[in-house]
Amino acid sequence: MARTKIDKFDIVIVGGGVVGLAVAYQLSKNPAYAGRNVVILEREKGFGMQTSSRNSEVIHAGIYYATESLKATLCLKGRELLYDYCRRFEIPHARIGKLIVAQSGQESELEALESKAIANGVNDLRSIDRALLTRIEPALEASSALFSPSTGIVDSHSFMQSLLANAERRGVIFSHSTCVESIMPEDQGFLLSTLIDDGRSRQPYALRTKILINCAGLGALQLAAMAFGESELAVCDSSPQQRSALPEQLLSKGSYFDYTGSNPFTHLIYPLPDRENDALGIHATIDLSGALRFGPDAEWCDHIDYSVDPAKAVFFARSVQQYFPTLDPTKLKPSYAGIRTKLRVEGATSDFVIRNEEAAGLPCFINLLGIDSPGLTSSLAIAERVEALLAGAT
Ligand SMILES: Cc1cc2nc3c(=O)[nH]c(=O)nc-3n(C[C@H](O)[C@H](O)[C@H](O)COP(=O)(O)OP(=O)(O)OC[C@H]3O[C@@H](n4cnc5c(N)ncnc54)[C@H](O)[C@@H]3O)c2cc1C
């Protein structure tokens, strides 16, 4: 019987969200990978259709994250790389700045946040008192604020489109509608089974790769479990006998409401972070067309459901009216939702995990897990980190 020919690649990147695209772009620029076969496998019909198009599109300054965490260091580095990229490739963006506001009695929390930001290397924050706030943002109600001039907004779709075009120009292949269904480690790499489903036909397709980079976002833990030969049950089981090399993943849904009234703000407005839910609080974001939107809230969930419950408008109105008292609740309209992936290590939600799985016997497997916010801001710095990990592996 004739054996089916299996295509061979040097590098497979699973996931065509902003992180997978940034990794492809970064590797395509590196002369060490010139002439190598690189493919991005994406199960959706196009790039960036999951978390990368369901977020606030904010370029974060790096204020909130634990000192020396990957989130802190990659956010600071990534934000500058992203501003440079946007300038160089004419991606719509604006460094509009943001105000983090404290209500009466919350001033010490604001000070603690400022200290954290300084420890992270964010040295451009300015304290704003009530009188100045009233002049800058007359519709805002707060006792004081921190102004972050290096926070901005970006058109994430244009950014991703540009990353992909730049990578494709240097030979990277983008294979959409291609879902990775199983991974078999081999002596010299990995055998992947995929299903290509373009809506008209479903074709199994197998391929081999020397290097595998897991940028599968919400699906990353499942993909890592495939490569490790673990069942999903083992991944979530915390009993010592069955403890997995992989962390536990929690999902946190964030919904947004559009505001159809007029936008009184010229900056992004953030309340103090919602520490209980490991979220930034329901903030006011402005997109590049000047439209105002509120969100995301934070709701732990166990499956992916992007519908927005219109009944949440009451809670949104109550939260936002603390800093925007003249908000008209009838002008809040359900918009979209995104889902954050949060890793839990020893009971606490944790940092990004970006590692070469050499210790698990898979030296050419790069795993990116728990890439929640600020993953968009950090994407180009994450890509540089993956490149550095690969330099040790190849
Ligand atoms: C509500 C919310 C607000 C946020 N706001 C911000 C913000 O303002 N600023 C910021 O910096 N960050 C923000 N983030 C974080 C940011 O959006 C993410 O960190 C980033 O988009 C993650 O990109 P990704 O490429 O890792 O994941 P994704 O965009 O989800 O891409 C992963 C891709 O992998 C594909 N995939 C999964 N499994 C498979 C498989 N088996 N085979 C093939 N393909 C597969 C998926 O289809 C998907 O397209 C926010 C996140 C959320 C949820």
Side-chain angles (χ1 to χ4, degrees):
M1 200 167 71
R3 289 179 60 192
T4 322
K5 186 177 161 296
I6 294 183
D7 287 336
K8 287 186 184 158
F9 291 90
D10 294 304
I11 302 177
V12 165
I13 299 166
V14 184
V18 70
V19 173
L21 297 172
V23 168
Y25 163 73
Q26 187 66 28
L27 299 184
S28 75
K29 288 193 304 173
N30 185 333
Y33 298 105
R36 306 270 192 115
N37 295 323
V38 182
V39 64
I40 305 169
L41 305 179
E42 167 54 55
R43 70 177 163 201
E44 298 288 346
K45 291 184 175 49
F47 64 84
M49 292 175 70
Q50 292 288 322
T51 312
S52 297
S53 55
R54 297 178 164 278
N55 57 54
S56 301
E57 297 191 297
V58 170
I59 303 177
H60 285 297
I63 296 168
Y64 302 95
Y65 317 106
T67 311
E68 291 181 8
S69 62
L70 280 182
K71 285 186 180 176
T73 51
L74 297 180
C75 183
L76 254 82
K77 189 167 188 201
R79 133 198 138 190
E80 290 314 309
L81 291 172
L82 181 52
Y83 279 125
D84 284 351
Y85 188 100
C86 289
R87 273 190 297 270
R88 181 160 169 222
F89 293 106
E90 298 180 357
I91 307 300
H93 72 291
R95 206 187 267 250
I96 59 174
K98 90 170 171 187
L99 290 160
I100 307 173
V101 299
Q103 303 303 334
S104 179
Q106 293 182 321
E107 292 80 1
S108 58
E109 261 187 81
L110 200 64
E111 278 166 27
L113 197 59
E114 184 173 17
S115 305
K116 191 180 225 183
I118 291 169
N120 285 348
V122 182
N123 295 318
D124 58 356
L125 295 183
R126 288 208 300 272
S127 294
I128 310 273
D129 63 18
R130 183 189 280 272
L132 184 53
L133 261 185
T134 310
R135 284 215 306 278
I136 304 174
E137 293 286 9
L140 193 60
E141 173 56 45
S143 73
S144 57
L146 278 178
F147 175 58
S148 164
S150 49
T151 300
I153 49 177
V154 60
D155 175 346
S156 57
H157 183 82
S158 300
F159 174 47
M160 289 190 280
Q161 195 168 39
S162 167
L163 288 171
L164 180 57
N166 278 328
E168 283 182 326
R169 228 167 7 90
R170 298 194 192 96
V172 173
I173 298 165
F174 180 68
S175 180
H176 62 81
S177 311
T178 308
C179 180
V180 177
E181 297 202 313
S182 79
I183 300 171
M184 187 76 74
E186 298 184 320
D187 282 351
Q188 298 295 318
F190 303 86
L191 174 64
L192 271 59
S193 302
T194 74
L195 185 70
I196 302 182
D197 181 353
D198 63 4
R200 283 168 310 198
S201 64
R202 290 156 64 85
Q203 288 286 330
Y205 171 64
L207 66 155
R208 288 202 152 86
T209 182
K210 291 183 195 148
I211 293 170
L212 180 59
I213 306 176
N214 176 7
C215 303
L218 296 172
L221 202 62
Q222 196 183 17
L223 208 85
M226 287 178 198
F228 282 24
E230 292 184 3
S231 71
E232 276 191 79
L233 186 69
V235 171
C236 297
D237 193 315
S238 56
S239 68
Q241 298 81 359
Q242 292 203 16
R243 188 164 289 153
S244 160
L246 297 169
E248 186 183 355
Q249 174 175 260
L250 304 176
L251 302 178
S252 169
K253 178 172 173 177
S255 298
Y256 292 85
F257 278 74
D258 289 331
Y259 191 61
T260 56
S262 62
N263 171 18
F265 300 124
T266 51
H267 301 93
L268 305 171
I269 313 290
Y270 280 59
L272 282 163
D274 169 6
R275 276 182 297 174
E276 199 180 319
N277 291 302
D278 192 19
L280 299 187
I282 296 180
H283 40 270
T285 52
I286 304 168
D287 68 19
L288 286 155
S289 70
L292 181 58
R293 179 179 308 125
F294 296 103
D297 65 345
E299 178 191 354
W300 297 111
C301 60
D302 57 12
H303 64 286
I304 296 173
D305 167 10
Y306 291 129
S307 62
V308 177
D309 178 1
K312 282 189 169 187
V314 177
F315 168 70
F316 268 68
R318 227 180 16 241
S319 304
V320 175
Q321 277 169 338
Q322 288 175 29
Y323 58 83
F324 177 24
T326 55
L327 169 120
D328 177 351
T330 63
K331 297 199 163 145
L332 287 172
K333 304 290 172 214
S335 184
Y336 62 90
I339 296 187
R340 313 167 182 91
T341 159
K342 304 254 176 209
L343 300 183
R344 189 155 66 180
V345 178
E346 290 166 5
T349 48
S350 81
D351 203 4
F352 295 155
V353 169
I354 304 172
R355 67 187 184 204
N356 182 325
E357 297 292 0
E358 196 166 10
L362 301 174
C364 293
F365 183 33
I366 310 286
N367 241 335
L368 290 89
L369 307 174
I371 311 294
D372 68 321
S373 192
L376 169 63
T377 309
S378 311
S379 53
L380 292 167
I382 292 174
E384 286 192 355
R385 192 167 179 93
V386 169
E387 185 182 42
L389 286 173
L390 274 180
T394 49

